[in-house]
Every structure is written in C-alpha cells, then in structure tokens.
Amino acid sequence: MPSTKFFQSTRKIIGAGVNYKEILRLTNAPKPDAPVIFFKPISTLLDGTTNAGASAGPTIRVPRIFGGTINFEAELGVIIGRRCANVSPDQAMSYVGGYCLALDMTGMDFILDARPKGLPWCLGKGFDTSTPVSALLAPAALPEPDNVRVWCDVNGVRKQDDSTRNLIFPIGELIAYVSRFMTLEENDLLLTGTPAGAGPVRAGDVIECGLGDGLVTMRCTVADE
C-alpha cells in the first residue's frame, strides 16, 4: 500500500487529456476513440501538503520561456497500489492503492503551437513544480471515485466544478488501457483529466482546489521563475 508521501517513490506520472464530456460539448469535438495519454517527469512533483496550514501554501513557478502565464488544471489523481499489466477494466480497480488531488500545470501556449505542427508537446507539461499533489487518500476515504466533485478557484473565483461521473473514460478504463502498453508499478500516478474551465494564471495568483466538499483541498501560490 502506498504511503502518505507516495510521491517520494513515484516512478511514472501518466496523464489523460480531453477526458470530460463538457469539454467535448464546448468544443464540438468528437469523442476520442481511446484515451489521450501523455507523460510528465517525476521532477514536476510538488508537495502540496507542505505548509498546508499556511495562507501561502507551496509555490508553483512559471518558467521564463512561457512568457509569464501557465494554465491550471485540477484533477483527481489515482495512485497504483501494486504492479499490474494487461488488466481488464473489471480488474483494474483492485490495483488502486489510493487517490489524491492534483494540479496539472500546463504551458498552454507551447502546446497550442506544437499540436498543429504535429510536434511533441511534453515540454509544456514537464516543467518543475507543474504537478502539485495532496497527501494520499485511502480507497475507503473515497468509496465512489467515479462520482466525486473536482473544483478549482483562482483568487477566490470558482473556475472549475464538475464530477468524475462525467469522465469520458472512467478510472478502470484508463488503468486497463495504459496497462496494455506498459506495466504500472506501485506509487505510479495517473492523472484522470481536468474539467472544463481551465485557464491562465500568473505570478501573484492563488489557486485553491479540492475534491468533494472538503474531502481534501490544496492551496498554491504562483510566482515567476
């Protein structure tokens, strides 16, 4: 079973993109045939439990190369509890060791430039401090992970608020799909996607996000590199 500080021994961070139904509705985009998967290096991890009682919280740094802004994306994170490969969606949930709240900070301008050119956009996801994570939630603390609110405020204004029941590919399907391509190991982190409403932040902004009604929250400040 992963420890509370699971991220100290995480080996892979796997993200799912475009995974909320509302995003498809707003963009008039077709449903993907399969999950859209990307990777983030473990050097992006930021301990969101640091100074949890302080008003400032941990600091997210905006790389100079991104011109002063990055996007916030609040997400439910899934921590793998034991090694798994080629599992079915029905089996997949038995490999979950816990859950966390996460922010997938993104250099969106970089990604929007790279995508039309057919170029990789991992650098827009891979900068230091771009993956703040909360402490581990045991599975018993989140008995309905496919029906939990994910919300995010910026400077006290609600920007994101949706439920994981509106995921295009739910947790079990994401784990099963990824496990067909690679072995998932204990403490690997799977980011399940962000609700509609993600947008830019800059130095001085305060991000507060959470799961459910006070189940777990994180407060981060944004600063220039």
Side-chain angles (χ1 to χ4, degrees), residues 33-211:
D33 293 329
V36 177
I37 299 299
F38 61 89
F39 289 93
K40 303 188 75 169
I42 57 174
S43 55
T44 66
L45 286 167
L46 176 66
D47 184 356
T49 67
T50 302
N51 299 322
S55 59
T59 300
I60 299 166
R61 300 285 178 182
V62 183
R64 287 186 292 272
I65 198 168
F66 291 149
T69 63
I70 51 177
N71 273 31
F72 61 89
E73 300 183 14
E75 314 205 1
L76 171 66
V78 178
I79 299 98
I80 300 300
R82 56 194 175 99
R83 183 182 176 92
C84 69
N86 289 308
V87 299
S88 70
D90 291 340
Q91 298 169 326
M93 297 304 289
S94 70
Y95 290 87
V96 173
Y99 303 93
C100 70
L101 172 64
L103 281 166
D104 174 22
M105 305 304 294
T106 303
M108 187 55 69
D109 287 346
F110 182 94
I111 289 177
L112 292 177
D113 181 65
R115 277 176 178 166
K117 299 174 183 176
L119 298 174
W121 39 271
C122 59
L123 295 180
K125 294 282 191 179
F127 56 95
D128 293 352
T129 74
S130 67
T131 316
V133 291
S134 74
L136 176 78
L137 288 171
L142 197 63
E144 295 186 90
D146 283 317
N147 187 19
V148 64
R149 281 180 63 223
V150 180
W151 57 268
C152 186
D153 296 347
V154 177
N155 300 328
V157 178
R158 183 60 46 92
K159 298 292 186 178
Q160 294 181 289
D161 197 341
D162 206 338
S163 170
T164 56
R165 68 174 176 269
N166 294 317
L167 288 173
I168 297 169
F169 299 101
I171 296 166
E173 291 186 30
L174 289 175
I175 293 173
Y177 180 76
V178 174
S179 78
R180 291 165 53 192
F181 295 88
M182 70 196 74
T183 298
L184 296 172
E185 301 164 296
E186 183 177 353
N187 290 317
D188 282 353
L189 173 59
L190 174 64
L191 304 177
T192 57
T194 196
V201 288
R202 61 180 61 247
D205 287 341
V206 177
I207 303 170
E208 188 165 10
C209 53
L211 297 176

